[in-house]
Amino acid sequence: MPRELYIVGNWKMYKTAREAADYIAQLEPRVRNCKGKIYLAVPFTSIASAARAAKGSNISIGAQNVHDAREGAFTGEISSLMLKEAGAEFVILGHSERRTLFGETDFTIREKVVRALQDDLQPILCVGETLEERSGAGAQEVLKRQIHACLAGIPTEDVERVVLAYEPIWAIGTGKTASPKMAQESHAYCRLVVAELLGKKIAEHMSILYGGSVKPENGGSLTAQKDIDGVLVGGASLDPEAFAEIAHNCESKQ
Ligand code: PEP
């Protein structure tokens, strides 16, 4: 798949099914003419209503997690087939909140990436370093370890459907955004790691998104960078007006 501009909202644990439908009714006319892909990762219980509200529009609905088994005795979990039937087209995997608050490891995240690809849910794989890792020599090591652990050995025809999201953990929900230059350096490094691991062509075609306190004021300067192909937006995606503004401000990429 060629690189594309992605504007992805991650609602986290916000918005009920009814609120999701209201939000989409407000967002749709504001992003109707956007050239990028407009994705919303919503809570499980809001997927069906969001997908219904978004039907026929340029907005795609996805999930924020999935189990790696197709079905089974896994109380409280959800499968890719359940998500697909509800209307999800993609899934965010390896978000730092899943890693730190729910103990997800590179190993489990890889299993989920494989499951999502097998069941035709597009994975958005998150990687990123903590502040301590950044101030030491380790940021690049962390990115390399995460990318290798989650993507090594996945067949070409599958891995080319993966979107990567670089999300420095110190920038998530903190109001501290990486500067465009700093983010570009990390994105270029991620692309280099993907090239070494999976080949130059896959790396050139892989869309790599930036996430971490993206707002209408900074989205455009981030996506203006050569290796930043879109944004993953948490807090600011909860407001349809702000999210639509981000989508428009990022359009200069195309
Ligand atoms: C996120 O949750 O992926 C995120 C980037 O959050 P925020 O935009 O609020 O920093």
Side-chain angles (χ1 to χ4, degrees), residues 118-151:
Q118 274 174 0
D119 291 338
D120 198 25
L121 264 184
Q122 184 182 23
I124 299 183
L125 170 65
C126 302
V127 295
E129 80 285 356
T130 62
L131 195 55
E132 298 77 62
E133 288 162 341
R134 182 162 197 99
S135 37
Q140 293 196 341
E141 262 168 48
V142 172
L143 295 176
K144 189 172 191 170
R145 189 202 74 222
Q146 292 176 338
I147 292 171
H148 274 248
C150 297
L151 297 183

Side-chain angles (χ1 to χ4, degrees), residues 8 39-41 44 47 61-67 78 80 83 88-94 112-113 115-117 120-126 163:
V8 183
Y39 276 28
L40 287 173
F44 296 144
I47 291 173
I61 303 301
Q64 302 165 18
N65 187 23
V66 68
H67 195 273
I78 197 150
S80 49
L83 295 176
E89 296 177 56
F90 72 94
V91 60
I92 293 178
L93 295 172
K112 291 176 183 212
V113 170
R115 166 61 52 213
L117 288 168
D120 198 25
L121 264 184
Q122 184 182 23
I124 299 183
L125 170 65
C126 302
V163 169

Side-chain angles (χ1 to χ4, degrees), residues 237-252:
S237 74
L238 294 172
D239 172 8
E241 220 170 295
F243 189 58
E245 209 180 328
I246 291 171
H248 284 289
N249 292 351
C250 290
E251 276 189 322
S252 55

Side-chain angles (χ1 to χ4, degrees), residues 10 12 95 97 126 167 171-175 211-214 232-236:
N10 173 19
K12 312 193 184 198
H95 190 280
E97 286 155 16
C126 302
E167 297 210 302
I172 297 180
T174 58
S213 297
V214 173
L232 177 47
V233 188

